[in-house]
């Protein structure tokens, strides 16, 4: 069975995040610890990494002149965490790297029309700010044929 566009897009997001290394010109080595939450759970040791989780897909039948197709939008969230005395600075670097990496190929390897940054939410433990997390939401638009999610 062929992979769905949804799966191909998620795999491309994970692959893009895995390119985040200082050697590749980024601020961090976040790419060494990327988890696809649709295939693996996140555990405490995964702090200082990135976790990709897919959200809902909405469809607009017959949009964009596609008589036999759908215009679709999928939400994807990348969660990232850091801990330690430099957590506030580190989370800013993680956010910058994630946004930059997903902007390199906004068509997700030819499977999407566009990738848009929707929202960034930063959370921290209020006691001493040594653990900081961020959720970065993206909206990915793509098309597919009705009743066939593989094309």
């Amino acid at each position: 069975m062929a992979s769905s566009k949804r799966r191909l897009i998620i795999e491309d997001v994970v692959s893009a995040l895995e390119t985040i290394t200082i050697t590749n010109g980024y601020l961090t080595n976040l790419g060494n610890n990327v988890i696809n939450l649709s295939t693996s759970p996140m555990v405490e040791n995964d702090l200082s990494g990135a976790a990709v989780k897919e959200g809902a897909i909405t469809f607009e039948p017959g949009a964009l002149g596609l008589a036999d197709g759908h215009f679709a939008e999928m939400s994807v969230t990348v969660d990232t965490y850091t801990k330690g005395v430099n957590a506030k600075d580190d989370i800013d670097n993680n956010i910058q790297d994630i946004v930059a990496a997903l902007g390199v190929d906004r068509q997700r390897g030819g499977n999407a029309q566009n990738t848009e940054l929707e929202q960034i939410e930063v959370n921290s433990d209020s006691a001493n700010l040594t653990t900081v997390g961020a959720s970065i939401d993206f909206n990915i638009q793509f098309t597919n044929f009705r009743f066939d999610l593989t094309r």
Side-chain angles (χ1 to χ4, degrees):
M1 178 177 172
S3 292
S4 67
K5 277 198 174 180
R6 174 196 57 78
R7 183 183 303 170
L8 293 171
I9 289 169
I10 291 295
E11 288 171 357
D12 184 83
V13 168
V14 170
S15 293
L17 295 174
E18 289 174 339
T19 68
I20 298 174
T21 63
I22 293 169
T23 304
N24 287 339
Y26 291 96
L27 301 170
T28 70
N29 285 314
L30 187 74
N32 295 333
N33 193 16
V34 177
I35 300 156
N36 180 349
L37 290 177
S38 65
T39 60
S40 302
M42 188 171 190
V43 295
E44 173 124 9
N45 292 343
D46 294 328
L47 287 175
S48 299
V52 178
K53 57 184 177 181
E54 58 187 287
I57 301 175
T58 57
F59 296 96
E60 186 179 339
L64 302 174
L66 299 171
D68 292 324
H70 292 282
F71 176 73
E73 293 185 326
M74 177 171 63
S75 62
V76 175
T77 299
V78 180
D79 290 331
T80 183
Y81 303 91
T82 64
K83 60 183 178 179
V85 294
N86 297 320
K88 286 187 78 173
D89 292 331
D90 292 344
I91 202 70
D92 288 341
N93 290 339
N94 285 5
I95 292 168
Q96 173 58 36
D97 283 352
I98 290 166
V99 171
L102 291 186
V104 170
D105 176 11
R106 294 173 54 179
Q107 286 74 42
R108 312 274 49 99
N111 293 300
Q113 275 63 43
N114 198 19
T115 301
E116 290 291 339
L117 175 63
E118 290 282 311
Q119 174 178 305
I120 299 171
E121 182 178 350
V122 178
N123 298 298
S124 60
D125 63 351
S126 57
N128 53 21
L129 299 177
T130 58
T131 302
V132 181
S135 291
I136 307 156
D137 297 327
F138 294 89
N139 179 284
I140 301 173
Q141 301 100 31
F142 62 99
T143 59
N144 67 274
F145 287 90
R146 290 184 188 188
F147 306 108
D148 182 355
L149 300 178
T150 63
R151 47 187 198 121

